[in-house]
Amino acid sequence: MKKLTLLLLLGVWVASAAWAQSGALTADQLQKIRQSYQEDSYTKAMENALSNNDINKLALNRDNVDKVDQHFKYKVDDISGITDQKGSGRCWMFTSLNIFRPVAMRHFNVDEFEFSENYLYFYDIFEKANLFLNNVVASADLPFTSRKVNWYFKSPVDDGGVWNSFVNLVNKYGMVPKSVMPETHSSENTRKMVKFIVTKLREDGLELRQMVADKKSKTDIENRRVEMLEGVYRMLALNLGNPPEQFRWRYKDKDGNLSEYKTYTPQQFRDEVLGDIKLSDYVMLMNDPTRPYYKHYEIENYRNTEEGINWNYVNLPNDVIKQFAIESIKNNEPMYASCDVGAFYVKGSGVLSTENYDYGAVYGVKFGMDKKQRILTGESGSSHGMALIAVDVNDQGKPTKWQFENSWGPDSDYHGYLTFTDNWFNQYMFRFVINKKYLDSKTLKAWSEKAEMLPPWDPMF
């Protein structure tokens, strides 16, 4: 039996080696490929153009320019102004807070209001550092080459997040006005600060693994972990400021009335502003054609606090999601949404359309992957979060285009907004957070079912 097994393995190895050898590029094949490149006048002109210009300028479809207007049948009324995340990856946080800015504006009867993104960002990075160190200890018995350990050390902390990250932070740390903890240079330009925190955490992670290997007591390991977090807190406070435990705040309303100073904790401010709104009433929906629809999924360890909830979502077809989104907009409720914003993006135009560019015409090759294929190969995925605020429909009530409130500042694109066609929605929209009162019973049933756990390194995430 062992001899037969060895012979079979040898046969597989020989076949693989033969295939590898037969797959080598031969001189005849190379010559054939070279001859396929015919340098006619058009090809030569395109070679000159491409080698000297940005391809987007050459592939821009002039017939599509200015064909999409900025008018919408249904639009959220309380548009509260454009925010600016500057040089940071905090789009998910800006988007989540922007959803509730109109709520705060109505509560205080003010024309302008913004929550402090810097306040929540401080605790997001701090809590992620704590989670990383916990994960290091929990996985210390695994070899450093294991996929899980490699995943932890690849990015101990970063700016990224999704809706559940926002929920975890607000539930634990509350909210504060921007004036209480304003932006700093480091909050608006996070790369260097995060780099040094990551470097320190990797060093700390190695030390904790060694402590486990040396069979140090749980108490010693825990004490050392807390000391490490003191260092992270110091680095964050020096860059972002020390977050308040309580604060005094007043405001001037639309009628010019100046309120009295009131003292809040961040949790008290959250409770006053949100009132009866429950973050648990919001459900994340996704369109991922690589997986079955009407199923509940959870991403393993994708959270920012140890005790918080992981990323959860129900996978749905686009046409179903659109029905819920339209109802939310009609009822004056913006939504957290995210997409592959770089796909067919024309900077400054304010329009996302699959007709914006014709790259195939420039290269003379066909680009034919569908959404499922793009996800599986890593070609496309969600890269940016924005507030979904408007939809236009035709005479039959079918959506034709949609609009985002972005967080790239008021001078970006169309006064800070991005409009996208319904076909672009089908191809490049991924995540939505919608109040469950707009969902049907079939979706709510799927949401209530036990989630299937997915790994954080899945191509979709």
Side-chain angles (χ1 to χ4, degrees), residues 75-132:
K75 191 168 186 174
V76 173
D77 292 335
D78 293 309
I79 304 303
S80 46
I82 300 298
T83 54
D84 194 346
Q85 67 188 78
K86 300 290 181 70
S88 73
R90 300 172 293 161
C91 60
W92 60 275
M93 184 179 293
F94 273 75
T95 298
S96 300
L97 288 171
N98 285 344
I99 298 301
F100 297 109
R101 278 199 301 149
V103 175
M105 292 169 65
R106 289 193 293 270
H107 176 75
F108 295 115
N109 189 34
V110 293
D111 289 317
E112 296 180 351
F113 180 85
E114 187 172 348
F115 292 104
S116 171
E117 295 87 6
N118 188 27
Y119 172 75
L120 289 184
Y121 180 60
F122 182 105
Y123 284 117
D124 179 59
I125 298 297
F126 186 64
E127 286 281 358
K128 285 174 178 173
N130 179 59
L131 184 61
F132 167 74

Side-chain angles (χ1 to χ4, degrees), residues 109-173:
N109 189 34
V110 293
D111 289 317
E112 296 180 351
F113 180 85
E114 187 172 348
F115 292 104
S116 171
E117 295 87 6
N118 188 27
Y119 172 75
L120 289 184
Y121 180 60
F122 182 105
Y123 284 117
D124 179 59
I125 298 297
F126 186 64
E127 286 281 358
K128 285 174 178 173
N130 179 59
L131 184 61
F132 167 74
L133 295 177
N134 287 338
N135 286 334
V136 166
V137 173
S139 62
D141 59 328
L142 297 175
F144 204 83
T145 53
S146 77
R147 190 167 194 177
K148 181 172 286 189
V149 174
N150 181 264
W151 182 262
Y152 293 150
F153 277 87
K154 181 180 179 181
S155 182
V157 300
D158 57 34
D159 284 0
V162 289
W163 172 256
N164 70 292
S165 308
F166 170 75
V167 172
N168 290 337
L169 293 173
V170 172
N171 281 343
K172 187 169 185 177
Y173 293 105

Side-chain angles (χ1 to χ4, degrees), residues 4 37 65 88 94 175 185 190 195 200 217 219 236 277 284 290 316-318 326 330 346 377 410 412 420 440:
L4 178 60
Y37 185 65
V65 174
S88 73
F94 273 75
M175 309 158 92
H185 175 80
T190 60
K195 175 184 181 298
K200 186 57 182 168
S217 70
T219 300
L236 285 168
I277 295 174
M284 175 171 279
T290 70
L316 294 177
N318 271 324
I326 290 172
K330 283 182 177 180
V346 182
T377 59
S412 67
F420 55 104
D440 60 17

Side-chain angles (χ1 to χ4, degrees), residues 230-387:
E230 289 174 356
V232 174
Y233 191 99
R234 176 178 175 81
M235 295 175 76
L236 285 168
L238 289 172
N239 280 278
L240 307 177
N242 199 16
E245 295 183 77
Q246 65 176 22
F247 61 92
R248 293 176 72 239
W249 185 71
R250 65 177 178 173
Y251 60 91
K252 182 175 288 189
D253 67 19
K254 290 179 180 180
D255 303 318
N257 300 312
L258 184 63
S259 73
E260 298 292 328
Y261 272 112
K262 186 174 179 180
T263 299
Y264 296 92
T265 66
Q267 293 80 4
Q268 288 170 338
F269 188 77
R270 170 203 62 204
D271 293 343
E272 179 177 323
V273 172
L274 296 187
D276 295 333
I277 295 174
K278 297 179 181 178
L279 298 183
S280 58
D281 284 341
Y282 292 81
V283 178
M284 175 171 279
L285 311 176
M286 287 186 64
N287 176 248
D288 176 6
T290 70
R291 291 193 167 86
Y293 291 134
Y294 288 99
K295 283 199 66 175
H296 183 188
Y297 295 95
E298 180 177 352
I299 316 305
E300 180 186 2
N301 204 59
Y302 202 113
R303 61 188 188 277
N304 50 355
T305 66
E306 179 65 44
E307 72 278 21
I309 57 173
N310 281 329
W311 178 353
N312 279 258
Y313 71 93
V314 176
N315 196 30
L316 294 177
N318 271 324
D319 59 345
V320 176
I321 293 174
K322 290 175 186 178
Q323 295 172 16
F324 303 150
I326 290 172
E327 285 305 307
S328 184
I329 292 170
K330 283 182 177 180
N331 283 276
N332 207 35
E333 291 194 36
M335 288 153 282
Y336 175 108
S338 65
C339 63
D340 186 357
V341 72
F344 295 92
Y345 170 65
V346 182
K347 186 176 182 180
S349 73
V351 175
L352 297 166
S353 168
T354 56
E355 304 299 318
N356 278 344
Y357 296 107
D358 190 348
Y359 298 110
V362 173
Y363 279 119
V365 299
K366 182 181 179 181
F367 297 98
M369 283 194 290
D370 59 22
K371 187 175 186 178
K372 179 178 180 178
Q373 293 167 330
R374 289 193 299 269
I375 291 170
L376 289 173
T377 59
E379 174 65 21
S380 182
S382 187
S383 61
H384 186 53
M386 292 174 276

Side-chain angles (χ1 to χ4, degrees), residues 388-399:
L388 185 58
I389 62 166
V391 61
D392 201 22
V393 299
N394 59 21
D395 293 339
Q396 290 74 46
K398 300 296 184 182

